[in-house]
Amino acid sequence: MTEIRHFTGLEAFEPATLRAMIERAALLKRAPETDANALAGKTLAMIFETPSTRTRISFDVAMNTLGGRSIALSPGELQLGRGESISDTARVLSRYVDAILLRTTKHDSLLQLVASAGVPIINGLTDRTHPCQLMADILTFEEHRGPITGQHIAWLGDGNNMAATWIQAAAQFEFSLRLACPAAYAPEAEILDWALARGADVAVGEDIGAAVTGADCVVTDTWISMSDDAGKQKIEDLKPFQVNEAVMAQAAEDAIFLHCLPAKRGLEVTEAVMEGAHSVVFDEAENRLHAQKAILLWCLGEAS
Ligand code: CP
Ligand code: NVA
């Protein structure tokens, strides 16, 4: 039996496979007609435990423009919400659809789905990682600044699921990543250790200047993630790590600013940076669509 092509995390891939997906995404962006009917007759089920604008709509449009279709569901619409197990849900859905996307606040739920499903599983964000977003982010960086290998990326703020996925990406795409996060909100140690063991050029500290000086790209994300029950104290603790014009002035003159969105203007990033010359956040949001087409084509066996 051929191996099922899950897209659950960047760490699971050979770098060349991720690179091929990025190239495919760039081609699809330039020439969307290339794969117009590649997924004809295919269905993607998407289960969202928490809200989504970009992931939900961009996957739906991606499936449609590749000739397939998608069904978006919340646990409350499924027997899952009344206690049917993830395992049984996975086995049933696998008889109807060709791939399943899950957004969950528990990474373990994603792993349970993988263990029981007979079709590819796509990580639509968990409390640990958000790999689809990172594929769009790499695409965005490269279309503005050229190949990311060897470049300097700075992360400011919470060491959350996005920070962890940037760490995985630094290992896979071989760029320098400097994270400035309060020690209490540092990224997950296991993911950092994995990257360092692979020789990744990643450093985590609290010094904003050290992270951002000369950076080719500055990235941040919301201070309170969907899986995070932190209160007001966390916001106070993170205030010094806001991306504002003074921070951007320390980066390279042609640095870009990335944010996966949704953004809380006035907290992790100022209005001036969001709307300023460095910001490419709406290209980044658009690139979810192109990157995910490449992911879907890979998962469904239509591309190498
Ligand atoms: N960036 C992102 O995943 O956005 P949504 O939560 O809107 O899907
Ligand atoms: N870190 C954020 C990303 C949202 C797309 C969260 O998990 O809520």
Side-chain angles (χ1 to χ4, degrees), residues 52-55 103 130 133 260-261 288:
S52 168
T53 298
R54 282 142 288 266
T55 306
R103 167 167 288 193
H130 195 5
Q133 180 70 54
C260 66
L261 306 180
R288 295 293 301 277

Side-chain angles (χ1 to χ4, degrees), residues 57-275:
I57 312 298
S58 57
F59 264 105
D60 183 47
V61 172
M63 280 304 290
N64 275 291
T65 52
L66 291 171
R69 65 185 295 250
S70 78
I71 307 168
L73 302 154
S74 65
E77 292 171 283
L78 298 166
Q79 295 289 6
L80 193 60
R82 294 182 59 245
E84 187 169 17
S85 68
I86 291 176
S87 165
D88 285 357
T89 305
R91 291 166 71 186
V92 171
L93 289 185
S94 299
R95 303 289 181 110
Y96 304 139
V97 303
D98 302 283
I100 305 169
L101 175 145
L102 177 65
R103 167 167 288 193
T104 176
T105 54
K106 294 184 203 73
H107 193 79
D108 261 4
S109 300
L110 186 79
L111 302 181
Q112 285 176 44
L113 200 56
V114 168
S116 302
V119 297
I121 302 300
I122 298 173
N123 178 349
L125 181 148
T126 74
D127 51 334
R128 289 191 82 197
T129 61
H130 195 5
C132 293
Q133 180 70 54
L134 245 294
M135 295 299 278
D137 293 358
I138 301 293
L139 182 61
T140 309
F141 181 92
E142 295 200 334
E143 70 187 14
H144 286 277
R145 297 293 315 266
I148 197 165
T149 300
Q151 301 294 306
H152 169 183
I153 313 297
W155 172 277
L156 260 61
D158 190 22
N160 64 9
N161 48 2
M162 280 299 303
T165 319
W166 271 100
I167 290 172
Q168 294 173 328
Q172 297 291 51
F173 290 93
E174 295 183 17
F175 55 82
S176 302
L177 180 63
R178 300 287 175 264
L179 300 100
C181 314
Y185 309 110
E188 190 184 312
E190 197 182 313
I191 289 178
L192 181 60
D193 290 346
W194 172 86
L196 294 175
R198 290 173 68 98
D201 182 11
V202 177
V204 183
E206 293 190 313
D207 186 336
I208 294 165
V212 97
T213 301
D216 301 293
C217 173
V218 179
V219 197
T220 191
D221 185 18
T222 183
W223 289 339
I224 311 284
S225 286
M226 290 182 275
S227 56
D228 194 345
D229 54 14
K232 288 189 178 135
Q233 185 57 48
K234 183 170 182 183
I235 292 177
E236 290 306 312
D237 295 343
L238 280 160
K239 276 185 179 164
F241 294 81
Q242 181 188 64
V243 179
N244 50 37
E245 285 173 301
V247 165
M248 290 309 299
Q250 296 174 66
E253 209 178 317
D254 54 353
I256 58 167
F257 170 72
L258 293 177
H259 188 311
C260 66
L261 306 180
K264 288 253 195 283
R265 295 168 191 235
L267 290 182
E268 74 270 9
V269 58
T270 58
E271 174 80 9
V273 170
M274 278 289 285
E275 298 299 337

